[in-house]
Amino acid sequence: MSCWAVVPLKARRFGKTRLAGLLDDAARAGLVQTMLDTVLSALSDAQEIDHIAVVSSEPERVPLGVLALPDPGAGLNPALTAAADSLLDHGATSLLVIHADLPLVRASEIDRFVRAGRRQGLALASDRHGTGTNALFVADRLDFPFRFGTNSLSQHLAEARIRRITPALPALNGLAIDIDTPADLACLLPAAGVSLKPSRWSLTPCTTSPCTTSL
Ligand SMILES: Nc1nc2c(ncn2[C@@H]2O[C@H](COP(=O)(O)OP(=O)(O)OP(=O)(O)O)[C@@H](O)[C@H]2O)c(=O)[nH]1
Ligand SMILES: O=C(O)[C@H](O)COP(=O)(O)O
C-alpha cells in the first residue's frame, strides 16, 4: 500500500490573481511560497502519507525529496488527472489531492482526513463556504474524476453518488481555510496575530464559520 499526496501549484505569474488588488507580485509570491511550505511540511510530518508530489509547470519550485510532475498546461483538472496517471506508474494505491493555499493545515488533520477517507473510500474537504473542495482523498479508485473549479464540492458529491460512495466529510479547520480573496486574508491574519499595515489593507469582519474558531 502506497499513499501519495499531490499538491497542484499554479505557475507564478497566474497565481492568486484574486489578491492582485491587495498584494503586489512580490507579496503574492511570498504568500504562495509560505503556504506551499506549510502544506509540504504538514504532509511530510503526516504518518499516513508515504510520498509527496507537486504538479507544476515550474519544477524548480519543487523542493528536494518531493517528486515534480509536469503540468500539461490545460488547467487544474487535467493537471491532476495526468498526475494521478503518473503516480499509478509509481505504485500509488491511494491518493490525496491537497491544495497549496492552506496556511493552517497540520499533519494531524491530514492523518484524520486520510483515515476517514480509507473508511469510506473517499474523503472530501470542503472550503469554509461549503462550496469548494480543498482536499480529496481516494482509496483504491485513482480514476475518480476531478471536478475542481466553481462549486466543486457538489460536483464531487455527485460523482461519488454515481459510484455509490458515501464520502467522509470531516470538519477540519486547517483543510477548510484557504486563502483566495481579501476576505479570506481578513479572516486569517488577525487570528494568526499577524500585524497589518492599515494603509495597504482593507479588512472586513468575517462572519462565516469556521474561520473564527481554533486558529
Ligand atoms: N498545476 C496546476 N495547479 C493549479 C492550476 N490552477 C490552480 N492550481 C492550484 O490549485 C489550487 C487552487 O487554486 P485556485 O485557488 O483555483 O487558484 P489560485 O492561483 O490559488 O488563485 P486565483 O488565481 O485567485 O484563482 C492551488 O494550489 C493552485 O496553485 C493549474 O492550472 N495547474
Ligand atoms: O475546487 C475548488 O474549490 C477550486 O478548484 C479551488 O479552490 P479555491 O479557488 O477555493 O482555492
Side-chain angles (χ1 to χ4, degrees), residues 10 14-20 28 31-32 35 101 179-180:
K10 212 195 250 186
F14 300 122
K16 290 291 156 227
T17 50
R18 282 168 281 176
L19 294 177
R28 286 205 318 283
L31 177 66
V32 167
M35 295 194 290
D101 55 0
I179 300 299
D180 290 318

Side-chain angles (χ1 to χ4, degrees), residues 73-162:
L76 176 56
N77 291 316
L80 289 170
T81 304
D85 285 348
S86 165
L87 293 178
L88 267 177
D89 295 339
H90 281 81
T93 51
S94 57
L95 182 68
L96 170 69
V97 174
I98 179 167
H99 287 344
D101 55 0
L102 304 170
L104 299 176
V105 70
R106 291 186 297 231
S108 58
E109 293 174 303
I110 291 170
D111 283 333
R112 281 178 61 188
F113 186 71
V114 168
R115 284 178 198 133
R118 286 221 176 91
R119 286 193 290 273
Q120 303 290 124
L122 173 70
L124 299 169
S126 163
D127 65 13
R128 68 188 175 88
H129 309 286
T131 55
T133 313
N134 285 337
L136 179 159
F137 172 83
V138 271
D140 306 324
R141 311 189 61 135
L142 271 63
D143 59 345
F144 189 85
F146 300 119
R147 299 284 182 254
F148 290 97
T150 309
N151 292 324
S152 62
L153 185 66
S154 61
Q155 297 203 42
H156 286 133
L157 288 170
E159 295 293 351
R161 259 194 311 277
I162 290 167

Side-chain angles (χ1 to χ4, degrees), residues 19 22 128-129 179-188 202-206 211:
L19 294 177
L22 194 63
R128 68 188 175 88
H129 309 286
I179 300 299
D180 290 318
T181 63
D184 293 331
L185 274 174
C187 280
L188 173 74
S202 162
L203 299 180
T204 50
C206 172
C211 73

